Amino acid sequence: MISHSLTIGEIIDKLKTKIFDFESPTDIQNDYLERENGIKRTIDNCMMLMKEFAITPGLDKLTKRQELKTEKCIENLSRYVKQLMEELDEDKIKIYCDNLKKEKQFSISPNRPFEPDLTFMLSNSFHIAIRTEILWSRRVTVLQAIQISKGELDLNDLGKHLPDLLKEIKTKIIPNVKHHEFYLSFADSINEAVKCYDKKLFRGCNLILITTIEGMVRQLANFLSIPHELGENFSEDKYMSLNRLLRDVTWKKDIIIDETRLSLMLGKNKTLKEYRSEFGIDRENVLIDLDTRLDFLKGRFKDDRDLILHGSYQEYNKKWNLYLNFSAFEETYEVCEYYLKKYSS
């Protein structure tokens, strides 16, 4: 593993070594300098991201799942740092910038001499990958994602999206739920959760949401038993936890998803350079299974759910909790709709 072999001394030496030094740089020389300095800044930022995994700010103890994910993120960031260090070479920088200049002569290219792999860095930051695990929610803005990755965002700021989220649920989801047999046993609970929100009974709202989401996933599992050729009833006796229900069943890979969306949901394990090396160009769509699509239910959502239901977490009436749970409900509903349209006769 690169994280085990890459030394701090190697990194520091690369950062200290000045490749270009011009008194009155030309335009192309400015490009050389911008690329060199950009690479060094990004290496430094990656080192700061890795440092946070050692400090684990805001968490007293990591779960086993979080420990494994921490190791993965550190390995990913170390690999990216190694790639960047290899680019800190005079000839490589000159060739890259000279080629970029030629490309600009024939097209209006927005490319700069260096752009960090921002999505990769965000998804492998402690506050996003471990503490919040919220990039699967499509309403998180780029600015909020950057602030979360730095630990600078009050998570209750995500509550600003609640009006839009509730409008979507009230105008599009609830009307459909009322008239579809699949959702009949959950319709009252969904309505009650929304009424609790409107009356500011936020603990009650969150409790109803997390139990409704689990019920919907179990209902979906039973619905998929025939088209996925599983031939079993997914009762709570056999699959006591939602995590086990998702993880231990061989679901078909039949969900089409955009690769960028998937990387935001799961975390990005390959740098842009690695994707291009493996596939030539970035993949646009991939096929995934139910476990992968609902992976967010095994992250921060699961941790909060377990603490709440065991009575260990009483302060679950914040805007952050509401945003997390309403977003999880919206995503779960979307997955149910996908399968109902795919397999209903």
Side-chain angles (χ1 to χ4, degrees):
M1 296 176 70
I2 291 176
S3 57
H4 291 190
S5 59
L6 185 62
T7 69
I8 301 298
E10 289 178 273
I11 297 170
I12 291 174
D13 286 344
K14 277 289 187 180
L15 293 176
K16 282 185 176 181
T17 302
K18 198 164 188 176
I19 299 175
F20 298 102
D21 186 13
F22 306 108
E23 288 187 7
S24 301
T26 62
D27 288 345
I28 190 63
Q29 288 172 339
N30 274 322
D31 285 349
Y32 299 160
L33 288 167
E34 184 178 342
R35 183 162 177 81
E36 176 188 354
N37 294 329
I39 292 172
K40 288 180 175 178
R41 280 195 304 271
T42 304
I43 291 174
D44 195 48
N45 287 336
C46 286
M47 296 303 294
M48 294 300 295
L49 290 176
M50 284 191 272
K51 181 181 177 182
E52 294 224 289
F53 284 99
I55 300 171
T56 63
L59 294 179
D60 296 327
K61 186 179 179 181
L62 299 182
T63 65
K64 183 63 176 177
R65 175 185 56 79
Q66 289 172 331
E67 288 177 358
L68 292 172
K69 197 163 186 179
T70 290
E71 291 176 7
K72 186 66 176 175
C73 289
I74 291 173
E75 176 64 20
N76 288 340
L77 289 168
S78 298
R79 204 170 64 253
Y80 186 38
V81 167
K82 183 73 171 176
Q83 290 175 15
L84 292 171
M85 289 169 61
E86 291 170 355
E87 293 301 313
L88 280 176
D89 173 86
E90 181 176 351
D91 290 338
K92 286 185 177 180
I93 290 175
K94 285 182 175 179
I95 291 170
Y96 183 94
C97 292
D98 291 347
N99 288 337
L100 187 66
K101 185 178 180 180
K102 291 176 184 176
E103 290 173 7
K104 287 181 178 179
Q105 292 176 349
F106 301 101
S107 65
I108 303 173
S109 174
N111 292 337
R112 296 175 57 186
F114 180 76
E115 293 285 355
D117 195 341
L118 186 59
T119 304
F120 180 84
M121 292 172 68
L122 287 176
S123 64
N124 283 284
S125 68
F126 171 80
H127 291 280
I128 284 178
I130 306 298
R131 187 143 187 256
T132 61
E133 297 187 82
I134 197 61
L135 285 194
W136 51 266
S137 172
R138 67 196 70 197
R139 286 179 172 78
V140 177
T141 67
V142 173
L143 177 59
Q144 286 175 327
I146 293 172
Q147 290 174 326
I148 291 172
S149 72
K150 296 178 180 179
E152 296 175 353
L153 183 74
D154 178 354
L155 293 181
N156 285 314
D157 185 67
L158 294 171
K160 68 173 62 174
H161 302 301
L162 282 168
D164 179 58
L165 182 51
L166 266 293
K167 181 180 178 182
E168 181 79 10
I169 291 171
K170 289 178 179 180
T171 60
K172 295 185 179 180
I173 296 179
I174 288 180
N176 184 50
V177 163
K178 288 179 179 178
H179 299 98
H180 201 298
E181 184 179 355
F182 178 89
Y183 301 107
L184 284 182
S185 58
F186 310 108
D188 288 344
S189 294
I190 296 167
N191 274 309
E192 190 170 331
V194 172
K195 287 179 182 177
C196 282
Y197 173 80
D198 290 339
K199 293 180 179 180
K200 301 188 184 305
L201 301 173
F202 296 148
R203 287 186 181 86
C205 176
N206 283 314
L207 277 173
I208 294 169
L209 284 172
I210 61 178
T211 55
T212 300
I213 289 167
E214 177 157 347
M216 289 171 65
V217 175
R218 290 186 180 277
Q219 176 94 328
L220 179 61
N222 285 319
F223 173 81
L224 290 174
S225 63
I226 295 176
H228 280 199
E229 301 174 353
L230 299 168
E232 61 180 302
N233 187 311
F234 297 100
S235 64
E236 291 188 30
D237 292 337
K238 186 173 181 180
Y239 298 98
M240 292 185 65
S241 72
L242 190 61
N243 184 57
R244 186 178 174 189
L245 174 64
L246 292 170
R247 182 195 62 209
D248 293 351
V249 177
T250 306
W251 306 104
K252 283 186 178 180
K253 290 186 176 182
D254 57 357
I255 299 176
I256 301 171
I257 191 168
D258 175 78
E259 186 278 321
T260 301
R261 173 101 170 99
L262 180 62
S263 70
L264 292 173
M265 287 166 49
L266 299 182
K268 202 166 185 181
N269 291 321
K270 293 183 179 179
T271 65
L272 186 59
K273 180 179 179 180
E274 288 167 337
Y275 271 122
R276 287 175 174 168
S277 174
E278 186 171 348
F279 300 105
I281 57 173
D282 294 338
R283 287 185 294 182
E284 294 182 359
N285 293 310
V286 291
L287 283 173
I288 60 172
D289 62 12
L290 182 66
D291 179 37
T292 302
R293 179 63 180 86
L294 294 180
D295 184 77
F296 62 89
L297 294 178
K298 298 183 292 181
R300 177 63 185 265
F301 174 86
K302 176 186 179 296
D303 293 342
D304 280 10
R305 171 199 177 279
D306 290 348
L307 290 172
I308 290 169
L309 295 183
H310 293 156
S312 303
Y313 180 25
Q314 295 299 320
E315 297 300 314
Y316 57 93
N317 60 333
K318 310 300 182 186
K319 289 181 178 179
W320 154 248
N321 307 112
L322 292 163
Y323 179 74
L324 177 73
N325 292 321
F326 272 119
S327 296
F329 167 72
E330 181 186 40
E331 290 292 320
T332 303
Y333 169 81
E334 181 180 292
V335 176
C336 290
E337 282 295 287
Y338 176 89
Y339 275 123
L340 289 172
K341 289 175 182 176
K342 186 176 183 68
Y343 291 122
S344 290
S345 55

